[in-house]
Amino acid sequence: MTETDTIARPVLRVENLCVDARTPEGLKRVLNDISFDLKSGETLCLAGESGSGKSVTSLSVMGLLPKASLRIASGNISLGDRKLTRLSNSQMRHVRGGEIAMIFQEPMTSLNPVMSIGAQLTEAIREHQQAGNAEAIARQMLEAVHIADPARRLQQYPHELSGGMRQRVMIAMALSCRPKVLIADEPTTALDVTVQAQILKLMRELKTGFGTSIVMITHDMGVVAEMADRVAIMQHGRIVEQGSSLDIFKSPSELYTRRLLAAVPRLGAFAGTDGPPRVSKGEPQPRASASALVLNVRDLCVSYGRGSGMLFRRAPSATVRNVSFEIMPGETMGLVGESGSGKSTTGKAVLGLIPFSGSVQLDGYDISRLSQHEMRSVRRSAQMIFQDPYASLDPRMSVGKAIAEPMAIHGIGTPAERRERVAELLRRVGLTPDAATRYPHEFSGGQRQRVCIARALALEPKLIVADESVAALDVSVRAQVLDLMLELQETMGLAYLFISHDMAVVERMSHKVAVMRGGQIVEAGTRRQIFENPGDDYTRALMKAVPIPDPTLYRKSESIAG
């Protein structure tokens, strides 16, 4: 073999990979003829929506397919000269971690909650390197991922670290044995936009420093543009398009790729406009005057006690301080900020779900002065949509019963009338009435969120608090749900408190925006004021951290930096 052949050989090669799933009806093909090469020092992004086969591909490479439900039917996976598909389980254990490592989407579920960070890092190092100085290597790895005070962090447990720091620990663990290939499966989806920017920058630095090739799995085309040298677009278990990052973004050949790119929210796309785009074909509800405020919040404060008992009692800690804003019918207030800024706490307080001080007037009622019985009837005016639709629905309850439950609780209508109302609501959110007999697990993520929206509409509320309601959805499904929410607002006059850390989504949805940091609003104004002339450095940092689906911008910035 010549030196040229050695240089040209890919680090990882997947050839004609087919994977079958075992179902009650028999075997079902879930991956069909997947082929790609990963070169040395390259980042390949596998992009596509949920269910496209991205994660099954990565688990196949790692040899981690659950044998009870999935099996490789044909094809080869090669790491250098070795055929991984021919290795035994014990042989693959030496490959995993040592030569191919993986970072998962949610670091909290990937780390052992009862083991210290140091114990988990050194365990991996000793397993693959038999290193006597494992503690020193662990400290060096935490330094490499820019974690301050590594000696102290090694003694801590996962719950004591933020989400961004936990993901840094996972990256340190994955790279501690200097693998040839790092597979990152949606490594930033659960992170705030500024933390995401830090993690992506860190991964680019470590790729150069450690000489590791990366397979990144994501549905975020902005992340693809920032990270990828080459891109493989997946749909329904197939690679439908593959090429350089610049080619995919500049001249995609497949309709599906073009749809993915078109669905990406682009910061600045609505410059010069005062409100969200019109999506409804019907007549919009007239905007009400300021005298008809749905929500009026003044000097809202929320404090949580820290610890209990004689030994550990501490003074309450203020998490929301002096927050004030108002929302009219047919208006959306975007509440934006990073995790821990107080956004969700504010959303729960305005619905009377947690204790607070200050004034919250909901549909003309000061909820701080209402009894529990009085609050029950007022709460019909406001409903909440949460981030995870699967966790919001009872898995043992059919969709129809879940939507009808609020009406039953408030004694609205007869059972027959409620069934008719459920069918109407399902049609309203783009589902068919026969969906009422099915259960949450039978729906996709986007369909489940539509069910949650239908449930929120059951009591005909005037205000909906949407707490990261599209953060867990694929980009195209997210666009569909956002359009649905805008259509409902236009035709029903709904007011939204739209809570998010995604500035591009907030720009698309909002009439007004409030930026929160450390429990306070640091800047508030119309959408045009905030996005076209931000006055606070924190607001500008949030906007700057949004990934832009244009790889030419990142290539230019890299050449300038270099």
Side-chain angles (χ1 to χ4, degrees):
M1 183 179 294
T2 66
E3 184 178 349
T4 304
D5 291 334
T6 304
I7 295 173
R9 181 183 297 278
V11 178
L12 178 71
R13 169 167 284 173
V14 176
E15 299 173 281
N16 309 117
L17 178 67
C18 295
V19 173
D20 290 340
R22 295 180 173 90
T23 72
E25 293 77 29
L27 293 176
K28 178 183 177 182
R29 183 64 45 96
V30 293
L31 281 188
N32 201 335
D33 202 27
I34 299 296
S35 297
F36 61 82
D37 288 347
L38 179 68
K39 300 173 185 175
S40 178
E42 181 182 55
T43 297
L44 170 70
C45 277
L46 298 181
E49 297 173 292
S50 296
S52 61
K54 306 185 303 294
S55 294
V56 174
T57 301
S58 67
L59 292 174
S60 300
V61 172
M62 293 291 291
L64 292 175
L65 287 178
K67 292 183 178 180
S69 56
L70 293 168
R71 69 174 187 114
I72 293 178
S74 60
N76 287 307
I77 302 170
S78 303
L79 182 68
D81 295 326
R82 282 173 298 168
K83 302 282 188 185
L84 299 185
T85 44
R86 297 179 183 175
L87 298 184
S88 65
N89 286 334
S90 62
Q91 289 172 321
M92 275 302 298
R93 277 198 295 271
H94 291 290
V95 173
R96 282 193 296 266
E99 298 183 66
I100 304 179
M102 193 164 182
I103 308 168
F104 294 93
Q105 177 175 344
E106 179 46 69
M108 191 61 181
T109 58
S110 304
L111 294 168
N112 190 328
V114 298
M115 288 178 66
S116 69
I117 298 300
Q120 296 184 64
L121 270 169
T122 54
E123 180 183 50
I125 294 166
R126 290 192 179 103
E127 173 69 22
H128 293 284
Q129 293 190 23
Q130 290 80 44
N133 59 341
E135 289 83 0
I137 295 174
R139 282 195 299 273
Q140 291 170 5
M141 290 308 304
L142 291 188
E143 290 171 356
V145 296
H146 306 315
I147 289 183
D149 197 0
R152 181 169 70 91
R153 300 300 184 189
L154 288 173
Q155 306 303 315
Q156 292 182 308
Y157 289 80
H159 72 273
E160 299 180 79
L161 306 182
S162 68
M165 291 182 69
R166 286 195 291 264
Q167 196 62 289
R168 288 170 187 266
V169 168
M170 284 299 303
I171 294 172
M173 190 179 301
L175 293 177
S176 61
C177 301
R178 297 183 177 269
K180 297 174 182 176
V181 175
L182 175 65
I183 300 175
D185 190 355
E186 300 279 9
T188 62
T189 299
L191 303 178
D192 291 325
V193 64
T194 51
V195 179
Q196 172 181 270
Q198 296 166 13
I199 295 297
L200 294 179
K201 180 182 178 183
L202 172 65
M203 291 180 69
R204 291 196 303 271
E205 292 174 355
L206 294 173
K207 182 181 80 166
T208 302
F210 286 77
T212 301
S213 303
I214 297 176
V215 176
M216 176 163 279
I217 296 167
T218 183
H219 64 259
D220 189 328
M221 297 305 287
V223 171
V224 173
E226 184 169 345
M227 295 295 293
D229 298 305
R230 287 191 308 112
V231 183
I233 303 293
M234 296 191 67
Q235 183 187 28
H236 303 320
R238 296 175 179 270
I239 292 178
V240 297
E241 185 167 4
Q242 190 169 179
S244 73
S245 178
L246 293 173
D247 288 342
I248 293 294
F249 281 85
K250 184 179 179 181
S251 54
S253 61
E254 290 293 320
L255 177 61
Y256 177 69
T257 308
R258 293 196 291 272
R259 285 177 176 170
L260 280 182
L261 292 171
V264 178
R266 296 170 186 262
L267 198 63
F270 302 102
T273 59
D274 295 315
R278 281 221 51 206
V279 297
S280 173
K281 296 179 181 178
E283 283 295 319
Q285 289 282 332
R287 293 280 295 278
S289 64
S291 61
L293 289 174
V294 174
L295 183 65
N296 190 5
V297 179
R298 290 288 175 267
D299 300 318
L300 176 72
C301 295
V302 179
S303 298
Y304 288 120
R306 300 176 61 187
S308 59
M310 294 299 294
L311 295 178
F312 301 103
R313 187 176 295 140
R314 300 180 187 175
S317 171
T319 57
V320 172
R321 293 171 286 170
N322 302 318
V323 166
S324 299
F325 59 88
E326 55 192 37
I327 307 177
M328 294 188 298
E331 184 177 65
T332 298
M333 164 66 80
L335 199 57
V336 68
E338 296 174 288
S339 295
S341 62
K343 307 186 304 297
S344 294
T345 300
T346 299
K348 292 173 184 175
V350 302
L351 295 180
L353 300 177
I354 56 175
F356 65 88
S357 62
S359 172
V360 174
Q361 290 194 354
L362 178 59
D363 196 20
Y365 295 91
D366 186 344
I367 67 173
S368 62
R369 299 181 180 180
L370 300 181
S371 66
Q372 286 294 325
H373 178 73
E374 292 169 324
M375 189 63 204
R376 181 176 176 179
S377 61
V378 173
R379 196 167 278 140
R380 287 180 56 178
S381 300
Q383 294 292 303
M384 197 162 192
I385 305 171
F386 295 95
Q387 176 174 347
D388 186 348
Y390 194 69
S392 304
L393 297 168
D394 188 334
R396 301 164 299 177
M397 186 181 289
S398 71
V399 159
K401 288 184 179 179
I403 296 172
E405 185 182 38
M407 294 183 281
I409 290 172
H410 287 272
I412 298 173
T414 64
E417 289 170 335
R418 289 197 288 268
R419 285 193 295 272
E420 190 173 320
R421 172 74 171 150
V422 166
E424 176 193 342
L425 288 168
L426 286 169
R427 281 192 289 265
R428 194 74 191 253
V429 299
L431 298 174
T432 55
D434 61 2
T437 60
R438 295 158 61 190
Y439 288 80
H441 72 274
E442 299 180 73
F443 294 88
S444 68
Q447 289 173 325
R448 283 196 289 264
Q449 197 61 293
R450 288 173 183 267
V451 170
C452 290
I453 293 172
R455 191 176 194 270
L457 294 175
L459 298 178
E460 299 183 348
K462 297 179 180 179
L463 171 72
I464 288 181
V465 177
D467 190 0
E468 299 283 8
S469 55
V470 296
L473 303 179
D474 291 327
V475 62
S476 57
V477 178
R478 180 192 305 171
Q480 295 167 14
V481 172
L482 292 177
D483 282 347
L484 170 64
M485 292 178 70
L486 290 175
E487 180 186 356
L488 293 170
Q489 182 176 61
E490 291 170 11
T491 56
M492 300 176 66
L494 290 171
Y496 292 128
L497 177 59
F498 191 84
I499 298 170
S500 180
H501 66 261
D502 190 326
M503 294 294 281
V505 170
V506 169
E507 183 190 27
R508 173 177 171 77
M509 292 295 293
S510 303
H511 298 89
K512 300 187 297 189
V513 180
V515 182
M516 290 195 72
R517 186 183 190 186
Q520 295 180 300
I521 291 178
V522 298
E523 186 170 10
T526 65
R527 188 184 71 177
R528 185 181 290 191
Q529 288 170 340
I530 297 299
F531 283 95
E532 296 182 30
N533 189 27
D536 192 89
D537 289 342
Y538 178 68
T539 307
R540 287 190 286 269
L542 285 177
M543 293 171 64
K544 187 178 180 181
V546 176
I548 301 170
D550 184 353
T552 59
L553 296 178
Y554 299 106
R555 304 303 180 267
K556 287 177 183 176
S557 64
E558 286 171 3
S559 62
I560 292 169

